[in-house]
Amino acid sequence: MNNQELREILVRELGIGGLPDEAQDEIVAKLGEIILKSLTVAIFEKLSTGAREEFEQISAKNDHTLVQEFLEKNIPNLSELMEAEVKKTLQNFNEKGGGEEKAKERGME
Amino acid sequence: MSKPFKFQTTPQEITDVPIVSSAPAGQKTSETPEDWGPNSIGAQLKAKGIGNIDAKVRRPGSSSRNHEGNGKKVAPGFLRAEIEDIHKLEKDAEKHLTKLRNDKEGVLFILAGLKIKVGQLSESVSEAERNGYLEQIKKTEGWLAQVNRELPNHSPSEDQNELESKIKRWEAGERDWEREKAQAKSAENRLKNNPADGKAMGRANRARTEKAATELELKRIAQETRDLVGKNQPPSLADQEGISYTHEKAVSDRKEWEEKHKKAQADAVLEAVPADDSLSPQEVVVIPDETPNTVEAAQEPAADTTSNDAPAILNNVPAEATANDWQEEAITNFEETGKTVPNWDFIPEKTESLVTDTPNETDSSSEIPTLTEMADAEFVGPPRQEQLGQEVAFEKFEFSLKTSPDLTPKQADLIAQLEKTIDAIQNPLEERVVAAKAEGPVRRMGKYWKELSLPTKLLVSGVLIGGGYTAGLAAAPVVIGAGIAVRLLGAAALFLTVEEKFKNDATKKSGAPLTDAEEARSTLLAGALAIVVAGLLPAALHEYAVNPLLEKLPDFPTEKPLVEATAYSDSSLALEQKLGEANLSALSNVPETDSLVVAETGDSRWSMSERALASGPYADEFNAIESTEERTHIIDAIKDKLTQGMTVEQANLINVGEEIDFSKIFEDKDFMDNIFSNADNLTPAQIENIQNYEATPQEPSPSSATMPAEMQPQNSAMVAGLTEQANKILSNDLDQLFGSSKFLGFGFVAGAASMHWKDPKFGFANKTIGEIENARPVASSGSGEKTYGINNREAKDAILKYVGDIEAVSGISRIPTETVSQSIERALLKTSALPK
């Protein structure tokens, strides 16, 4: 990771300080992927069948302004949605065995 | 006797249509019953009390539709509910047709795979095994026949064409896979010979990634086929509504009804028509023999109808009121039983079959096997190492070094725990995806994620996960990588717009100008969203948006990653090599020699000739030569042989990804022996000549691909749009490269305003890429003398690396005669969603 400070924060919070660097990178990248997949389905869930059809039509026009307007109209709280999915994923991660606290319990930190 | 059926006066009187032809000659006719003459049939019938219409009674000639021919439109709202039911039936029929077509697509694919497999069987295979495949083909053809019986307008020649097309596609996919296996092996060999060579490592990683991508793609095609066959489809509408009136019953009911209907019609008419033979021919209305236009009408299986009982409905229909089409019967049935929609399940139940006389059928009740089952028998595709199923949208997570002997027990324990944790997170998410029917978008989004380099993934993940902390960071995460990679994935314009929005939102929230860290965060979050939105784009549009050139490639199975996942890495080659090791297990059946070389960025025919010599059938001999002059002589000879007949321009023209097969040259033993012998006996004059050349004198200027005509902007509006986008991207990236104090102590200036860019004599803005490459900086900036642009070594290296990054991400090859800005425009044109 290019930013050392950010990396240190992540490693500490995720409780993966005891792992080799390569493994740390893998778990961080994997969590990022899960968060984005979670966000993808969250956006998809918010679109009704009609809205999905509308999205297809808009997408076909290749006009990014229209795409953005559509997202703002149908998912006005996109930033909050992003934050919510991140929180959900990280909470799950914590509850199911990851995180700094669990790492301390295992004596890894 | 039997009188012909006559509708003559019956429909007319009931619907108040005057009987124009039955009026006695000379009598005036008119349009209203009151005007009917006393001797008219209408008047007579009216006198008998026949004439009031019971809205629920069905009359011949009177349909719930605006049936052309009865001369009268139904009142608005008449039988509205029934009409809606008809529309529902039609929609369900359409859904069933669609499902059937999908099932047929899957069956055709299985059949194609089986035929490919049979074609590949060697002579030594046992007869039992061969017969097993042939038996399976016969069974699959039986399934195809079942589907075709239900599909209207089926054409056998279309099936044959479709089958051939699928076989071609699969074979093309397999050829790609074989080729990429060979390339991966070649790259591995080169890496083994030069383990410290970063370029070799990069090539090896790229080759592995491409091979793995094609393998995944072949698996994905197989997975799609499995889904098409219907094993994983959600219950049909009929099932969801609990409707139980089966298709078979509907067909048998219809047939019976038709027979009873004709009789009932005849009876009704005979009862209603008075004993009057004075009817003119015009009054005789022939009962239309309508063919219902539903699915079952076109392809009616031989239903096993043993019951001769008329459907119950007919018992309730008054004799004089009968229907003249089957839909009305279904409507009435619905009123009686509440159920009309048949069960459209295609896969026959074990106890019930739609077809009883299939000529090729051996077991009509067997289910279509999944491709997993077929894969176990190694029907098609490369050897499979894991079950088909979830790996496309949600792969099982395993650390690449989980089996490393260097791990301590605690680390191994933590790794095992984290793998379980990830699975525990993914499983409910996967259920959520299935429930939302979002497999397609999630799969596509996952594909883009894979295409990003590891540093980019880490940056995006870092900002997502550590989002709350980034504002307080001392230094902003570098975002050039994320910016270019994401922008050129096909969501370029959207990314820029969203990035601006995120930055504006962040500014509004804080009220203060954004710090570098906050700006970087906005950029990365916009990148993340662009990946998600690109995944949400419908697949067909996305393919067009991201890989327009692939539309031109015949028989290309599906999209391949345009971005070389490892090419963009600037610091994690070691990790990416390890991640790629998982792909090495497939490198088992690859030929040992390699005469096929693929052009990479910066390549020329000369350098490719050298690579072919170093890794091909003459590798041992060539690599053993220590003398540079001898090696140069040999490479030159190969290159000259290769470019024989080409103009200088043609010889210099090579595109990234273009393959050159040197096998024909290497197979010419006399020629090769001659070259090596000559090299061994170079004269002093020849040696001096070679030494007097510059480093690579015969090497023409690097790959000089020209933009294909079809990729050039088609109109001035497009050109303007393209230029605007390119300028935005460039401006942003130049800020990172040359703006602010991050770079070599220059002050807070925008990158585009820096002297490196805009200096009239040395600035990169007005220099072509060729000029930048060939420039010889006079001094390093460290010497105290200020130098700019092409005159500055660090700046030159930075801008060339930037150009290389654009190429790596977009797949274009640099053109020496274009500027950096033009290069970005071309990259955008190739990867953006601008129309052709």
Side-chain angles (χ1 to χ4, degrees):
Chain A
M1 199 176 299
N2 287 351
N3 189 292
Q4 194 56 34
E5 199 177 341
L6 185 56
R7 187 191 181 96
E8 283 167 10
I9 292 168
L10 288 184
V11 164
R12 188 184 66 237
E13 293 289 317
L14 295 175
I16 53 176
L19 290 179
D21 284 357
E22 296 89 334
Q24 290 173 356
D25 285 349
E26 281 185 64
I27 191 76
V28 168
K30 186 65 189 174
L31 279 173
E33 181 189 343
I34 292 175
I35 290 171
L36 288 187
K37 282 183 177 172
S38 184
L39 179 61
T40 303
V41 74
I43 291 176
F44 205 69
E45 281 168 344
K46 286 208 174 290
L47 300 178
S48 62
T49 309
R52 288 175 199 180
E53 285 170 9
E54 191 188 338
F55 182 66
E56 269 192 46
Q57 287 162 11
I58 286 174
S59 309
K61 293 180 183 163
N62 292 323
D63 186 331
H64 57 90
T65 314
L66 285 180
V67 171
Q68 202 199 323
E69 279 173 9
F70 173 87
L71 289 177
E72 282 182 4
K73 175 180 140 200
N74 289 276
I75 310 164
N77 53 347
L78 201 45
S79 307
E80 285 87 351
L81 196 67
M82 246 176 161
E83 280 183 33
E85 294 303 320
V86 170
K87 248 189 209 158
K88 202 188 295 182
T89 304
L90 294 180
Q91 247 167 355
N92 279 339
F93 180 78
N94 258 334
E95 284 163 12
K96 302 238 177 345
E100 189 182 358
E101 291 301 319
K102 296 270 186 334
K104 281 182 179 160
E105 286 168 18
R106 282 190 292 265
M108 293 299 299
E109 295 284 322
Chain B
M1 135 5 214
S2 63
K3 281 188 179 175
F5 297 139
K6 295 175 185 175
F7 270 140
Q8 34 185 328
T9 58
T10 307
Q12 291 166 327
E13 64 182 320
I14 293 174
T15 58
D16 285 336
V17 173
I19 305 165
V20 289
S21 57
S22 65
Q27 185 171 349
K28 185 182 169 189
T29 62
S30 72
E31 298 294 322
T32 62
E34 289 75 12
D35 292 331
W36 293 348
N39 292 325
S40 72
I41 302 298
Q44 291 177 49
L45 287 172
K46 196 174 174 193
K48 287 182 184 174
I50 299 172
N52 293 326
I53 298 174
D54 180 349
K56 286 196 179 173
V57 169
R58 308 288 186 260
R59 290 164 202 81
S62 136
S63 165
S64 60
R65 302 175 183 183
N66 291 340
H67 186 68
E68 201 173 322
N70 66 5
K72 186 171 167 65
K73 285 194 173 184
V74 297
F78 182 59
L79 296 178
R80 184 192 298 276
E82 290 82 350
I83 290 172
E84 284 172 3
D85 279 337
I86 290 174
H87 290 155
K88 190 162 170 288
L89 274 172
E90 287 171 342
K91 277 189 191 159
D92 286 335
E94 192 49 47
K95 274 186 191 151
H96 176 59
L97 266 181
T98 303
K99 185 177 181 308
L100 279 177
R101 288 188 190 112
N102 282 343
D103 288 338
K104 179 169 170 174
E105 180 78 4
V107 172
L108 278 173
F109 212 109
I110 292 170
L111 194 53
L114 285 167
K115 286 181 184 270
I116 289 171
K117 188 63 185 178
V118 167
Q120 289 173 344
L121 290 177
S122 73
E123 294 295 325
S124 58
V125 80
S126 71
E127 195 171 327
E129 189 178 341
R130 189 183 296 275
N131 286 342
Y133 283 115
L134 294 175
E135 190 63 32
Q136 192 61 48
I137 287 178
K138 214 165 133 188
K139 197 180 283 189
T140 310
E141 284 171 346
W143 293 322
L144 186 60
Q146 279 186 27
V147 178
N148 283 336
R149 260 187 283 277
E150 289 202 55
L151 278 174
N153 304 321
H154 153 66
S155 159
S157 62
E158 278 178 15
D159 282 351
Q160 188 55 33
N161 290 342
E162 188 61 30
L163 202 59
E164 284 172 6
S165 167
K166 282 180 177 4
I167 290 174
K168 268 172 78 178
R169 265 184 60 182
W170 189 264
E171 286 174 342
E174 288 221 308
R175 280 199 300 272
D176 283 346
W177 195 79
E178 289 297 326
R179 176 172 55 82
E180 282 159 10
K181 262 199 319 190
Q183 285 172 12
K185 177 68 177 176
S186 163
E188 283 299 318
N189 287 340
R190 280 197 288 275
L191 185 59
K192 277 180 194 157
N193 293 332
N194 303 290
D197 184 350
K199 212 172 172 186
M201 194 181 296
R203 281 198 293 266
N205 285 335
R206 277 194 294 277
R208 286 186 209 120
T209 305
E210 280 195 13
K211 190 188 72 64
T214 301
E215 191 176 52
L216 263 179
E217 205 49 64
L218 288 172
K219 284 179 184 170
R220 189 181 79 76
I221 293 171
Q223 170 68 35
E224 271 189 1
T225 306
R226 197 178 79 137
D227 289 343
L228 278 175
V229 169
K231 295 297 281 187
N232 296 325
Q233 283 188 348
S236 66
L237 181 68
D239 286 342
Q240 287 165 11
E241 295 185 352
I243 296 166
S244 61
Y245 188 59
T246 66
H247 169 68
E248 185 181 313
K249 183 101 175 49
V251 167
S252 77
D253 283 353
R254 186 179 69 82
K255 283 181 88 174
E256 286 177 339
W257 172 87
E258 276 185 68
E259 286 167 21
K260 302 284 182 187
H261 160 61
K262 284 184 182 166
K263 184 174 179 313
Q265 278 184 326
D267 291 341
V269 169
L270 285 174
E271 280 188 20
V273 171
D276 185 341
D277 288 336
S278 59
L279 294 168
S280 68
Q282 291 93 316
E283 293 169 337
V284 175
V285 177
V286 176
I287 302 172
D289 186 17
E290 291 184 70
T291 304
N293 60 355
T294 50
V295 171
E296 64 276 9
Q299 301 283 345
E300 189 181 322
D304 181 23
T305 55
T306 54
S307 167
N308 287 322
D309 295 333
I313 179 59
L314 282 178
N315 296 334
N316 296 329
V317 175
E320 69 271 22
T322 57
N324 69 351
D325 61 44
W326 189 78
Q327 282 89 341
E328 293 193 16
E329 176 64 28
I331 291 166
T332 313
N333 199 32
F334 178 78
E335 287 179 345
E336 299 287 323
T337 66
K339 294 173 183 178
T340 56
V341 181
N343 182 357
W344 294 117
D345 278 347
F346 162 67
I347 307 294
E349 304 285 344
K350 287 206 184 290
T351 56
E352 184 184 338
S353 171
L354 288 178
V355 179
T356 54
D357 61 348
T358 312
N360 294 325
E361 190 174 322
T362 54
D363 178 8
S364 65
S365 64
S366 62
E367 294 179 345
I368 298 175
T370 65
L371 272 181
T372 307
E373 291 159 9
M374 293 171 67
D376 289 342
E378 294 186 357
F379 273 73
V380 292
R384 297 176 195 280
Q385 296 180 3
E386 63 246 336
Q387 290 290 324
L388 289 175
Q390 302 172 348
E391 76 270 17
V392 179
F394 288 95
E395 297 173 10
K396 185 163 170 48
F397 176 67
E398 288 189 351
F399 282 91
S400 60
L401 40 65
K402 71 184 273 184
T403 53
S404 166
D406 300 329
L407 288 178
T408 66
K410 267 189 184 166
Q411 286 176 331
D413 183 46
L414 175 57
I415 277 178
Q417 176 58 46
L418 286 171
E419 283 177 352
K420 276 193 204 148
T421 302
I422 293 293
D423 276 347
I425 297 174
Q426 285 200 136
N427 289 342
L429 178 57
E430 192 186 345
E431 285 167 17
R432 199 174 149 201
V433 167
V434 170
K437 296 182 189 163
E439 292 97 326
V442 168
R443 194 182 293 137
R444 283 192 292 277
M445 182 256 122
K447 188 183 80 69
Y448 295 129
W449 184 253
K450 280 190 164 63
E451 289 170 5
L452 296 176
S453 70
L454 183 62
T456 303
K457 284 186 206 172
L458 293 177
L459 272 176
V460 173
S461 301
V463 159
L464 281 173
I465 298 169
Y469 296 101
T470 48
L473 294 179
V478 175
V479 297
I480 290 181
I484 290 181
V486 170
R487 284 166 198 164
L488 297 182
L489 269 178
L494 180 66
F495 169 76
L496 290 171
T497 309
V498 172
E499 186 189 15
E500 247 175 73
K501 179 174 165 35
F502 274 159
K503 284 184 181 173
N504 288 338
D505 286 351
T507 307
K508 280 183 204 156
K509 222 175 183 176
S510 66
L514 298 181
T515 63
D516 286 348
E518 284 164 340
E519 279 219 22
R521 179 170 186 266
S522 297
T523 301
L524 286 163
L525 286 179
L529 184 63
I531 296 170
V532 167
V533 173
L536 288 168
L537 283 175
L541 287 172
H542 164 261
E543 279 198 43
Y544 171 80
V546 177
N547 297 323
L549 276 187
L550 290 181
E551 287 190 310
K552 297 188 180 302
L553 297 179
D555 302 325
F556 200 87
T558 49
E559 71 267 27
K560 286 175 66 177
L562 200 56
V563 175
E564 294 173 324
T566 60
Y568 199 65
S569 165
D570 56 359
S571 61
S572 306
L573 284 173
L575 174 60
E576 287 174 87
Q577 183 188 8
K578 284 192 178 153
L579 288 175
E581 276 174 4
N583 301 326
L584 285 179
S585 57
L587 295 176
S588 49
N589 301 316
V590 184
E592 287 184 9
T593 62
D594 179 26
S595 302
L596 189 73
V597 180
V598 182
E600 296 154 11
T601 306
D603 253 341
S604 62
R605 292 183 198 273
W606 200 91
S607 64
M608 292 172 76
S609 301
E610 183 184 13
R611 279 217 302 287
L613 280 163
S615 60
Y618 287 87
D620 290 341
E621 216 168 336
F622 180 77
N623 293 331
I625 298 174
E626 292 181 354
S627 158
T628 307
E629 291 81 13
E630 285 182 38
R631 291 164 69 98
T632 301
H633 175 86
I634 295 171
I635 296 168
D636 217 24
I638 298 292
K639 191 268 300 178
D640 284 345
K641 182 87 170 166
L642 189 65
T643 55
Q644 225 167 31
M646 289 187 192
T647 62
V648 169
E649 207 173 73
Q650 284 169 337
N652 286 348
L653 190 67
I654 187 103
N655 295 312
V656 169
E658 195 174 323
E659 294 170 2
I660 298 183
D661 189 350
F662 289 85
S663 55
K664 281 211 168 49
I665 297 177
F666 292 155
E667 281 163 12
D668 188 345
K669 195 171 179 318
D670 289 339
F671 170 75
M672 293 303 297
D673 286 346
N674 215 23
I675 296 175
F676 276 87
S677 169
N678 288 346
D680 214 16
N681 297 296
L682 288 176
T683 64
Q686 281 176 312
I687 292 174
E688 192 182 341
N689 259 344
I690 291 170
Q691 285 171 341
N692 284 341
Y693 277 159
E694 291 179 9
T696 54
Q698 300 88 351
E699 191 163 347
S701 48
S703 41
S704 54
T706 54
M707 188 188 303
E710 63 269 19
M711 281 175 59
Q712 297 187 10
Q714 301 301 310
N715 56 57
S716 56
M718 271 182 66
V719 170
L722 197 59
T723 306
E724 188 194 336
Q725 279 192 33
N727 286 341
K728 271 188 186 170
I729 289 178
L730 187 57
S731 172
N732 215 2
D733 290 341
L734 285 177
D735 284 348
Q736 302 290 333
L737 282 171
F738 304 129
S740 79
S741 62
K742 291 197 196 68
F743 186 69
L744 299 177
F746 283 94
F748 287 98
V749 293
S754 73
M755 294 300 283
H756 288 298
W757 186 251
K758 71 173 193 179
D759 184 84
K761 193 173 174 193
F762 302 112
F764 298 121
N766 300 316
K767 296 280 181 261
T768 64
I769 292 177
E771 286 170 329
I772 297 172
E773 283 175 331
N774 295 327
R776 300 278 185 263
V778 293
S780 166
S781 59
S783 67
E785 181 186 339
K786 282 200 174 157
T787 53
Y788 306 112
I790 57 170
N791 216 17
N792 181 292
R793 191 176 302 282
E794 284 91 349
K796 178 194 162 182
D797 288 346
I799 200 72
L800 284 179
K801 182 179 179 307
Y802 178 66
V803 170
D805 291 343
I806 294 170
E807 291 172 348
V809 168
S810 68
I812 63 168
S813 302
R814 66 185 65 181
I815 298 178
T817 52
E818 70 179 7
T819 63
V820 173
S821 182
Q822 288 167 340
S823 187
I824 292 182
E825 280 184 25
R826 195 156 51 87
L828 268 179
L829 187 64
K830 182 167 184 182
T831 61
S832 78
L834 286 173
K836 287 181 186 165

